[in-house]
Amino acid sequence: TDAPERAMIRIRKGVYREKLFIDRRNIRLVGDGADRTVIVWNDHATKLLPDGTPYHTFNSYTLFAGADDFVAEDLSIVNDAGYGDKIGQAVAAYVDGDRAVFRRCRFVGWQDTLFTGPLPLRPVDRPTFGGPREGAPRRPTRQYYEDCRIEGDVDFIFGSATAVFRGCEIFSRRRPLEAGLPEPRASGWIAAPSTPEDAPCGYVFIGCRLTGDAPPRSVYLGRPWRDHGSAIYLNCEMGAHIRPEGWDDWNERGVRGTARFAEYGSTGPGAAPAGARARWSRRLTDEEAESLTAARVLSGADGWNPSPPDESTEGEGEEPPC
């Protein structure tokens, strides 16, 4: 049964090789630091279930957090199965509850590191998605990531949630098969949102640092996994690995005008001058940027605000300018 009040589970320092499935509300996991408390597993998309069918993406998680009001702090969630060119997708965390919060956590993988549920309406290339939410009703979720580090290479933050990433380090890993190539090529995509059409916002990155060891100009800020994918980078520092065009148009969703990608106040060598980004993306106005706060993006009907108390809540409850 669900915990009537928040239940805290303290996880002491150590490396815990196990697969976690959490489907009770009000659970809080607290580690001894992301560099000291590590939860790691190695399932992946091409691994076979006992009946001989593949795991596919959504059974490959190390941590499944599927209930509301989940909190994790000061720990690492790792999938060390390897990179996708050899084993396919390998999810570190599958988060599918409303009002989920992660603070000072580290997510490590290669392809599809962090899945922010719910699932899209239907798969593109097979009859079912598989995984722990197969057949379950879809419902919107809000998620908040603060001072976290997320590592991967291909679509390593993906899904349909409305999620705010505040003060996070987003680390693009150099793909092993590209080591030593004389010319940089596409090394990855940070975000692959599948935001529902009726959701005002998808992913909002606020004050994040985009770092990595991928080659210069080889990583896209994102691409739309579904038609109405939405992502915004607000006042983020971008490394030299970010491509000048910024956004990749997946199946021409941007050209067709359904994808919703924007940025404002980007700095660093990966911040392109006006006109260099994909022509179907946009820059927020000063007024839009000023009003785009975590409190406003995530408040919803219940006024949820997991952001620091010093952040302005002006406009909370109003539709954000995503």
Side-chain angles (χ1 to χ4, degrees), residues 293-313:
T293 64
R296 194 170 182 184
V297 171
L298 298 172
S299 63
D302 59 5
W304 186 55
N305 180 14
S307 57
D310 60 346
E311 180 178 275
S312 170
T313 58

Side-chain angles (χ1 to χ4, degrees), residues 137-183:
R138 295 177 71 258
R139 62 193 185 98
T141 70
R142 294 162 295 170
Q143 302 175 17
Y144 180 71
Y145 300 81
E146 181 179 289
D147 297 332
C148 293
R149 177 179 165 114
I150 307 167
E151 302 181 20
D153 68 337
V154 175
D155 298 340
F156 61 98
I157 304 173
F158 71 116
S160 303
T162 293
V164 170
F165 301 85
R166 181 188 179 104
C168 294
E169 181 180 6
I170 313 298
F171 187 92
S172 294
R173 304 180 72 176
R174 185 185 189 104
R175 302 176 70 183
L177 292 182
E178 294 185 351
L181 287 179
E183 296 292 337

Side-chain angles (χ1 to χ4, degrees), residues 42-64:
N42 61 353
D43 285 339
H44 54 87
T46 59
K47 185 176 178 178
L48 298 182
L49 293 162
D51 64 2
T53 59
Y55 270 61
H56 290 305
T57 303
F58 299 103
N59 278 313
S60 69
Y61 60 85
T62 296
L63 165 70
F64 173 76

Side-chain angles (χ1 to χ4, degrees), residues 18-293:
E18 56 185 295
K19 190 178 179 85
L20 293 186
F21 181 91
I22 298 173
D23 63 351
R24 295 187 179 187
R25 290 186 63 242
N26 289 320
I27 299 298
R28 180 185 177 202
L29 303 183
V30 181
D32 277 345
D35 58 340
R36 304 176 73 195
T37 300
V38 180
I39 302 167
V40 58
W41 196 246
N42 61 353
D43 285 339
H44 54 87
T46 59
K47 185 176 178 178
L48 298 182
L49 293 162
D51 64 2
T53 59
Y55 270 61
H56 290 305
T57 303
F58 299 103
N59 278 313
S60 69
Y61 60 85
T62 296
L63 165 70
F64 173 76
D68 294 347
D69 301 299
F70 175 81
V71 176
E73 299 172 334
D74 300 301
L75 53 82
S76 288
I77 304 162
V78 179
N79 189 316
D80 66 353
Y83 59 100
D85 286 350
K86 286 195 170 183
I87 52 83
Q89 298 87 345
V91 175
Y94 183 143
V95 185
D96 196 30
D98 192 27
R99 299 182 300 272
V101 174
F102 293 82
R103 292 188 175 94
R104 300 174 302 279
C105 290
R106 188 169 62 113
F107 303 84
V108 181
W110 287 95
Q111 183 171 348
D112 292 6
T113 303
L114 172 61
F115 176 62
T116 66
L119 294 163
L121 281 172
R122 60 189 64 86
V124 172
D125 57 353
R126 59 181 186 269
T128 63
F129 284 108
R133 283 295 194 246
E134 186 62 54
R138 295 177 71 258
R139 62 193 185 98
T141 70
R142 294 162 295 170
Q143 302 175 17
Y144 180 71
Y145 300 81
E146 181 179 289
D147 297 332
C148 293
R149 177 179 165 114
I150 307 167
E151 302 181 20
D153 68 337
V154 175
D155 298 340
F156 61 98
I157 304 173
F158 71 116
S160 303
T162 293
V164 170
F165 301 85
R166 181 188 179 104
C168 294
E169 181 180 6
I170 313 298
F171 187 92
S172 294
R173 304 180 72 176
R174 185 185 189 104
R175 302 176 70 183
L177 292 182
E178 294 185 351
L181 287 179
E183 296 292 337
R185 60 189 178 93
S187 187
W189 299 259
I190 292 174
S194 52
T195 318
E197 182 177 5
D198 60 353
C201 297
Y203 293 154
V204 180
F205 298 85
I206 301 176
C208 293
R209 292 182 301 123
L210 278 51
T211 64
D213 58 6
R217 299 186 170 200
S218 67
V219 174
Y220 290 95
L221 295 172
R223 57 180 178 173
W225 186 26
R226 291 295 190 271
D227 283 354
H228 301 279
S230 171
I232 293 174
Y233 290 83
L234 177 64
N235 298 327
C236 292
E237 179 184 342
M238 301 184 178
H241 60 296
I242 299 301
R243 295 176 67 101
E245 65 269 43
W247 309 99
D248 185 15
D249 194 2
W250 199 349
N251 293 334
E252 297 188 339
R253 290 165 175 142
V255 169
R256 287 191 278 114
T258 59
R260 300 169 284 164
F261 287 170
E263 65 184 294
Y264 179 91
S266 301
T267 59
R277 294 298 197 217
R279 59 183 176 82
W280 47 268
S281 66
R282 72 185 187 97
R283 291 181 184 267
L284 300 180
T285 66
D286 292 346
E287 294 76 15
E288 287 174 328
E290 185 177 355
S291 65
L292 192 63
T293 64

